[in-house]
Amino acid sequence: MPRNIDYLNDRIIPLIYKTFIPMVLASSVSIVTQLANTFFMGHEHKEALYIVGLYIPFSFFMTALIEGFQISNASSVAFEKGRENTEQIPKLINNYLLYGILTSLIIAIFISLLTPMFADYFNVRNESINLFRMYTRLMVFLTIFSVVNAILLSSIRGYGLVKISSGISTLTSVSNIILVYIFVEYYLLGVYSIVLANFIVSSFSIIISLFFLLKYKIVKFQILPFSLKKFKLEEIAKRKILNIGIPVAISYILIFISTFFFNKILMPFGNEVVAGFGAAYRLQTIVLLIAISSGNTLGLLMNQNMGGNNLERSFEIYKKGMINIVGIYIIIGMAIFLGKDLIASFLIADGEVSVHTANYLNIVALSYIIMGPMMSSLLVLEQIGKGFQAFFLNFLYFFLIVVIGWFLTNHYQEESLFYWTISLLNVFAITGILYSYFVIRNSLQLKQTQLNKEIKRAVEMNG
């Protein structure tokens, strides 16, 4: 059996990367394939790229659902595994699967019924309305498969089998890209290539994940009679969803809501600007994904150690993790800034659209150096019980982008001013990093003081 992760005793830096790498791979499947889809759609037809671009807000919203369930589940499984309470793990996985399927089904039906309204809101061209409606409906219902797949993979990861989880995620990501290419080039399916590839790959990943869950006896296959008791949410699952899942999902939902306004701000400048921005923003989702995965990694490790009363180690994990995150984003920001023209021309065949993609990256890319660590810090705040503060800072950030960006573009009729708004607010977000640092430090110091008092009281009573 592959070596399980020991959250409480393994060396900190290797532990961070052993947890982070599988997590970012598991979370990146849908995002990486979106980037590949941009390439294939961008070289197929401008209408296909236009439809995929319009789906961006919905993809963020559905990703919020996936991330909320899978991170809550991974944390729950890891916690119970650490307590050696393996009998509880199958109950938790069943719990998350049941509520994940029900929630994603309800949301899919809701969005599907409202697609005509969304088409009007986005001013979708008449000749593209039917394609937009059908593509959106198919993709949101496919999210049910994605939620199931994410929960099963996060169960494997939370149990400590990180290499298996990473291997399945990588295999499915590569398979998705290959299938989309085949369906576009040889079967001429257009945007439906994405739908069919996602369905095949998600189904395949679910089967493989179930195989390993059964092989390592994490779950047992059994047919049980229907009972309303199965709808009862386990107490630990409830806590994890409230303290981790919902704050993580809200972070994504804020992005989802903001992208509606972002598209609306840029629509007066033409479809080429919207398409160019959409391609650049999908690339930016990779940057956000790494930040969110980093924050979730640190939150998971810190919570495990806080549960074991290793409070000093928890803060060391945070400090060393943030230093590594800053280093990662210096590399990412510089690489995207220096390679902006090559990246834009690679993703988009249409020269006019690729110019707008390169323009966005030229203005915003270097600010990723601060934006990434900021997002990670806010996610750590959420996962140590400071969700309200993190939500307020997230809300303020996106609210200012929308309000200032809308005013400047309307007043000066220049779309690049919107990009400068995003860039400068990313830089200003360094205040959020500093705020998070002091809140986390003070919170852990307070917990340590309380722990010392409890130890002293216990000693006096026994003495």
Side-chain angles (χ1 to χ4, degrees):
M1 180 184 292
R3 180 182 181 273
N4 293 354
I5 291 178
D6 186 343
Y7 295 112
L8 303 180
N9 298 300
D10 285 354
R11 290 172 55 214
I12 290 176
I13 296 299
L15 176 61
I16 289 172
Y17 282 101
K18 284 192 294 185
T19 309
F20 165 74
I21 291 173
M23 187 173 289
V24 75
L25 285 173
S27 303
S28 66
V29 173
S30 61
I31 304 297
V32 171
T33 51
Q34 282 182 37
L35 193 62
N37 293 341
T38 299
F39 172 82
F40 294 131
M41 296 303 109
H43 287 72
E44 195 249 348
H45 194 276
K46 277 177 39 173
E47 184 187 29
L49 185 64
Y50 174 63
I51 295 298
V52 173
L54 289 172
Y55 185 72
I56 290 175
F58 302 99
S59 70
F60 272 116
F61 186 76
M62 304 314 283
T63 301
L65 179 67
I66 294 169
E67 291 298 309
F69 274 104
Q70 80 157 345
I71 294 170
S72 299
N73 180 65
S75 178
S76 301
V77 172
F79 182 78
E80 294 300 325
K81 181 67 168 60
R83 294 176 59 195
E84 298 184 355
N85 188 16
T86 54
E87 292 297 320
Q88 181 72 1
I89 292 176
K91 297 178 183 178
L92 289 171
I93 296 173
N94 289 336
N95 234 206
Y96 285 114
L97 283 172
L98 176 61
Y99 278 88
I101 291 171
L102 288 176
T103 304
S104 55
L105 177 61
I106 292 170
I107 292 174
I109 293 172
F110 179 75
I111 292 177
S112 180
L113 293 174
L114 293 180
T115 50
M117 185 190 74
F118 289 126
D120 291 338
Y121 177 82
F122 284 130
N123 294 320
V124 179
R125 296 192 298 257
N126 290 332
E127 63 271 21
S128 302
I129 286 178
N130 289 334
L131 182 59
F132 167 75
R133 291 179 180 177
M134 181 58 68
Y135 178 76
T136 301
R137 286 168 176 163
L138 290 172
M139 289 298 288
V140 294
F141 276 103
L142 270 176
T143 301
I144 299 171
F145 287 83
S146 299
V147 168
V148 173
N149 181 44
I151 291 172
L152 295 179
L153 275 173
S154 65
S155 301
I156 296 172
R157 183 173 68 253
Y159 201 78
L161 304 174
V162 293
K163 291 183 179 179
I164 292 175
S165 174
S166 176
I168 295 173
S169 299
T170 303
L171 176 63
T172 53
S173 182
V174 172
S175 300
N176 196 301
I177 293 170
I178 293 172
L179 286 174
V180 171
Y181 172 76
I182 292 172
F183 293 146
V184 168
E185 290 295 320
Y186 297 101
Y187 293 93
L188 305 177
L189 295 180
V191 293
Y192 294 118
S193 303
I194 299 173
V195 177
L196 185 56
N198 282 357
F199 172 73
I200 294 172
V201 168
S202 295
S203 302
F204 179 62
S205 181
I206 288 170
I207 293 171
I208 296 177
S209 299
L210 282 172
F211 169 78
F212 282 107
L213 287 169
L214 291 168
K215 178 180 179 180
Y216 290 104
K217 299 179 181 180
I218 302 172
V219 298
K220 297 178 181 179
F221 180 76
Q222 52 184 335
I223 301 176
L224 299 174
F226 176 80
S227 172
L228 290 177
K229 291 182 179 179
K230 294 185 177 63
F231 287 87
K232 182 182 178 182
L233 197 60
E234 297 287 335
E235 188 60 34
I236 184 175
K238 187 185 301 181
R239 289 201 311 270
K240 295 297 183 181
I241 289 174
L242 290 175
N243 296 330
I244 298 177
I246 290 177
V248 168
I250 288 176
S251 296
Y252 274 99
I253 290 171
L254 279 172
I255 300 171
F256 159 73
I257 295 172
S258 67
T259 52
F260 271 102
F261 291 102
F262 291 176
N263 282 338
K264 195 71 173 178
I265 289 170
L266 294 175
M267 277 176 186
F269 299 101
N271 290 334
E272 287 76 15
V273 173
V274 174
F277 169 76
Y281 209 74
R282 273 188 293 281
L283 177 63
Q284 183 169 297
T285 59
I286 299 296
V287 178
L288 289 172
L289 176 67
I290 293 172
I292 291 170
S293 296
S294 300
N296 290 332
T297 296
L298 297 182
L300 175 62
L301 300 180
M302 290 172 66
N303 274 312
Q304 290 290 327
N305 282 273
M306 288 165 64
N309 292 326
N310 297 326
L311 301 175
E312 291 184 4
R313 177 177 162 89
S314 293
F315 193 53
E316 281 299 308
I317 288 172
Y318 172 71
K319 289 191 295 183
K320 291 182 178 181
M322 288 302 299
I323 290 171
N324 279 265
I325 292 166
V326 170
I328 289 171
Y329 275 95
I330 289 174
I331 296 172
I332 291 174
M334 291 295 297
I336 295 176
F337 176 76
L338 294 175
K340 56 186 176 296
D341 294 321
L342 181 62
I343 292 171
S345 60
F346 176 76
L347 290 176
I348 311 297
D350 186 279
E352 188 176 356
V353 175
S354 68
V355 167
H356 294 293
T357 299
N359 184 36
Y360 178 87
L361 296 177
N362 180 57
I363 295 171
V364 178
L366 288 178
S367 69
Y368 294 160
I369 295 171
I370 297 175
M371 183 195 72
M374 175 203 70
M375 292 291 291
S376 296
S377 289
L378 294 183
L379 282 164
V380 172
L381 274 181
E382 291 172 346
Q383 296 192 39
I384 66 167
K386 305 295 181 182
F388 176 78
Q389 292 96 319
F391 172 77
F392 176 76
L393 291 173
N394 264 320
F395 173 80
L396 186 64
Y397 169 76
F398 287 109
F399 177 77
L400 289 175
I401 288 177
V402 170
V403 172
I404 296 173
W406 203 312
F407 171 78
L408 291 177
T409 53
N410 272 280
H411 189 73
Y412 294 101
Q413 294 299 307
E414 177 59 53
E415 74 272 11
S416 63
L417 292 176
F418 176 61
Y419 305 156
W420 277 111
T421 301
I422 295 174
S423 182
L424 293 175
L425 280 170
N426 284 346
V427 173
F428 183 72
I430 194 171
T431 57
I433 299 174
L434 296 174
Y435 172 81
S436 300
Y437 176 86
F438 289 115
V439 169
I440 292 168
R441 186 195 65 180
N442 295 340
S443 175
L444 291 175
Q445 285 179 347
L446 179 61
K447 290 180 184 294
Q448 184 66 61
T449 301
Q450 293 172 342
L451 177 62
N452 292 339
K453 289 180 179 178
E454 291 175 4
I455 294 173
K456 183 179 179 181
R457 189 181 304 116
V459 170
E460 290 175 350
M461 290 179 64
N462 292 330

